[in-house]
Amino acid sequence: MTRRIVSLGRPMRPSDCLANWDPATVLFLDRSYRILPTSLHNYLPTHLPGHVVTDVTLVTCTSINPLSKCDLDPKKWHRIDKELFLNRAWTTKAYLFVSRKHEEELTEGDSVVIDLKVGPMKPEDEKPDSHAVWESRPGGIWVKRSTEKVASDSDDAITNVDVLFGDDAVEARDGWAIRGTPLQIDSSGAFHSAHVTVRRGAPVKQKKPKPRIPDSGKFKILQIADLHLSTGVGACRDVYPELPKGEKCEADPRTLEFVDKMIDEEKPDFVVLSGDQVNGETAPDPQSAIFKIALKLKERKLPYAAIFGNHDDAQAMGREAQMAIMESLPYSLATAGPADVDGVGNYYIEVLGRGGSEHSAITIYFFDTHSYSPNEKKYPGYDWVKPSQIEWFNKTADKLKKPHAEYSHQHMDIAFIHIPMTEYADFNQTWVGDWREGVTAPIFNPGFRDALVDKGILMVSAGHDHCNDYCILSTVGEQRDPAMWMCYAGGVGFGGYAGYGGYIRRVRLYEIDMNAARIVTWKRVEAGPNVTERIDQQIIVDGARAHPAPMPAPLPPPVASERPAEVKAGQ
């Protein structure tokens, strides 16, 4: 993996000092003085409450002509800061512009956009409207504007406009829809297609789901690690079994087809996206990539949480902006977490007891494990969990101890991370599953594992190392008593690396049985002879305690190998 020095530690996000300001004031100042960070500025929502769209247009400019500018009168037009060629064209740039007014400021001469379509031909209306006509704009855009006074009050009134990219672009937000064909700005096919998407009416207020133990007493979690989604369909890497000669593989469609199948067959109650949802190097518009998995979960009404990996923010969009998007999506429980804690995405979710109980049965902690080492010379490789995160976790766990004790069954705590902890590389412990590649954990050990064990975390699960899918038992004391299971999910995305002797993409599942305070885990694979089986099914928690590891198989004769022999379930 390409390494770079990134320092993510900070006491406060740049935008936190603006939190108490009026949004209109912030946007006005940002237009003149760029007071917001770049990671947020380019992806700010373009709608202010009570505003309607009065016009839309497209402007193209070229660096060959010094007089050519991609600007319009800022008093009338707002530029959507997504360059329509995604900054891939040598000399040409293009932007979408939106004109808006507050409903109370509309005059007799103003028109309100009540429809928008993109296509080569003028749209036809089944019922002609004398107050509204279709008007042509550059790029194949057609806007239908109404002069009726009540148009702004109509549910048809367009209140927000955005752009998504890629031939497989989808819209995951409630109240939004992609309108027509891609923008007609490129006939070469060399660039990602750009799609106009609009929202009608007021923003849909999201009601966050409350995960709950089903009547069966069993709660199933599907961990989807390392999706590595692109802008556009993406290119497959390290496909196994190998494709027939001449057969094409598109990464994202194949990845999402597998995810679809796992959701349909396993029927999870909750999904964890454990980092590297976005393959930053091939996703110049991360929003378009995120929406692809978000729509799958929305369609099935599946609540989910997400954390970041080292590739999510590799290029185009920072973690704050990506988290702001995920916080606004239907069924998403992802959140940025406390501003005074290092990272973006340190939080927890309570799974309520069955029936009408308001007591927590399971607490799921999520941590930002950052990206690359801030001190490459002394600690090369990857970053580590910071003291502020450990302090936040300790205080949170202590605060929750008393209310958790009120649960009628045995309460359990688990956690998810992206980059594994240093202890994942302990060859002296027992593991179940495949250990195919080196553990790329931080060299510096901040004591995170000890904090998790001390507060009773029963299992933690990571992603990051795509071709490792084992669960390793962490022990304590001279007797090596079971303390906590540390698992890998294995990588699912065809846009990420694989290899290592024929790795098959996979997901990991956890079934938490509150009747016995037991956690069972297994994996499912995308291809091969075991495609219908539960791979390496094992009990990792029983009676709300870490379950002992299975007895290891007899050691094979010594061979030249950089990997120790693995332990399979049931041996």
Side-chain angles (χ1 to χ4, degrees), residues 416-438:
F416 288 90
I417 56 179
H418 179 72
I419 297 175
M421 297 178 291
T422 308
E423 288 80 4
Y424 272 68
D426 189 349
F427 295 158
N428 297 313
Q429 302 286 8
T430 305
W431 67 90
V432 177
D434 289 337
W435 188 330
R436 291 174 178 262
E437 61 173 309

Side-chain angles (χ1 to χ4, degrees), residues 11-12 22 32 78 98-99 123 125 152 195 211 255 281 312 334 399 409 420 458 487 500 521 524-525 567-568 571:
M12 182 172 283
D22 176 71
S32 301
H78 168 85
V98 177
S99 178
D125 290 323
S152 63
H195 304 259
T255 297
E281 296 80 358
D312 287 297
K399 179 186 70 174
H409 291 63
L458 297 169
C487 296
Y500 288 91
T521 186
R524 293 287 305 273
V525 294
V567 178
K568 290 291 185 180
Q571 294 183 333

Side-chain angles (χ1 to χ4, degrees), residues 3-4 51 162 188 193 222 248 339 345 352 444 452 464 483 520:
R3 291 175 177 170
R4 59 187 173 89
H51 282 66
D162 200 357
S188 69
S193 56
L222 170 64
K248 186 180 180 181
L352 302 179
F444 178 77
L452 295 180
H464 189 59
V520 179

Side-chain angles (χ1 to χ4, degrees), residues 429-433 471-473 482 485 521 536-541 546-554 566-571:
Q429 302 286 8
T430 305
W431 67 90
V432 177
C471 286
I472 188 168
L473 178 62
W485 280 93
T521 186
D536 293 330
Q537 179 170 312
Q538 64 172 126
I539 297 173
I540 57 173
V541 174
H547 192 61
M551 293 298 293
E566 63 181 341
V567 178
K568 290 291 185 180
Q571 294 183 333

Side-chain angles (χ1 to χ4, degrees), residues 137-387:
R137 299 289 184 269
I141 298 172
W142 295 88
V143 292
K144 187 177 185 180
R145 304 201 300 162
S146 176
T147 57
E148 279 193 297
K149 291 183 179 180
V150 296
S152 63
D153 298 325
S154 168
D155 290 337
D156 292 333
I158 291 177
T159 55
N160 206 346
V161 180
D162 200 357
V163 185
L164 298 172
F165 297 88
D167 293 340
D168 59 343
V170 294
E171 180 57 80
R173 295 169 288 191
D174 282 340
W176 288 76
I178 293 174
R179 300 294 292 161
T181 66
L183 287 167
Q184 298 169 28
I185 56 174
D186 169 46
S187 59
S188 69
F191 305 99
H192 290 297
S193 56
H195 304 259
V196 179
T197 177
V198 304
R199 186 187 66 211
R200 299 179 187 276
V204 177
K205 190 173 182 180
Q206 297 298 332
K207 183 179 179 181
K208 295 297 182 182
K210 291 184 177 181
R212 182 178 295 278
I213 304 296
D215 291 340
S216 66
K218 295 181 178 181
F219 187 81
K220 186 185 287 188
I221 298 173
L222 170 64
Q223 183 183 359
I224 302 174
D226 297 271
L227 280 159
H228 282 267
L229 299 172
S230 298
T231 302
V233 297
C236 290
R237 297 177 59 186
D238 305 324
V239 179
Y240 188 84
E242 294 183 7
L243 295 172
K245 189 174 181 179
E247 185 173 326
K248 186 180 180 181
C249 178
E250 295 176 332
D252 292 3
R254 182 161 176 178
T255 297
L256 295 170
E257 182 181 1
F258 176 44
V259 169
D260 272 338
K261 181 182 177 185
M262 290 299 96
I263 293 175
D264 291 341
E265 292 184 5
E266 291 289 346
K267 296 177 173 55
D269 301 293
F270 190 75
V271 171
V272 173
L273 306 177
S274 58
D276 283 357
Q277 288 76 246
V278 176
N279 192 52
E281 296 80 358
T282 61
D285 184 54
Q287 184 180 26
S288 296
I290 292 169
F291 280 6
K292 287 188 267 189
I293 182 61
L295 180 62
K296 298 290 183 185
L297 303 175
K298 173 187 173 182
E299 289 173 337
R300 291 165 174 80
K301 300 181 179 180
L302 260 175
Y304 64 96
I307 51 178
F308 294 117
N310 52 297
H311 286 277
D312 287 297
D313 60 343
Q315 288 192 6
M317 189 193 297
R319 297 185 180 207
E320 292 94 341
Q322 290 191 40
M323 184 59 80
I325 289 171
M326 286 192 287
E327 286 178 334
S328 70
L329 293 175
Y331 300 96
S332 170
L333 294 174
T335 186
D340 58 348
V341 175
D342 287 280
V344 180
N346 302 293
Y347 60 104
Y348 67 93
I349 290 171
E350 301 278 36
V351 181
L352 302 179
R354 74 185 83 180
S357 173
E358 290 300 314
H359 289 297
S360 169
I362 306 164
T363 301
I364 310 175
Y365 289 93
F366 301 90
F367 298 90
D368 185 352
T369 50
H370 312 293
S371 292
Y372 302 95
S373 173
N375 190 338
E376 188 75 11
K377 185 175 181 179
K378 188 175 182 180
Y379 302 110
Y382 292 92
D383 206 348
W384 49 89
V385 171
K386 300 297 190 287

Side-chain angles (χ1 to χ4, degrees), residues 65-91:
N65 181 358
L67 300 178
S68 178
K69 304 291 184 182
C70 277
D71 289 314
L72 294 176
D73 182 359
K75 294 180 180 179
K76 178 181 179 183
W77 295 96
H78 168 85
R79 189 174 83 177
I80 297 175
D81 276 338
K82 290 186 178 181
E83 202 281 304
L84 299 179
F85 295 102
L86 292 170
N87 297 307
R88 297 298 208 269
W90 283 97
T91 60

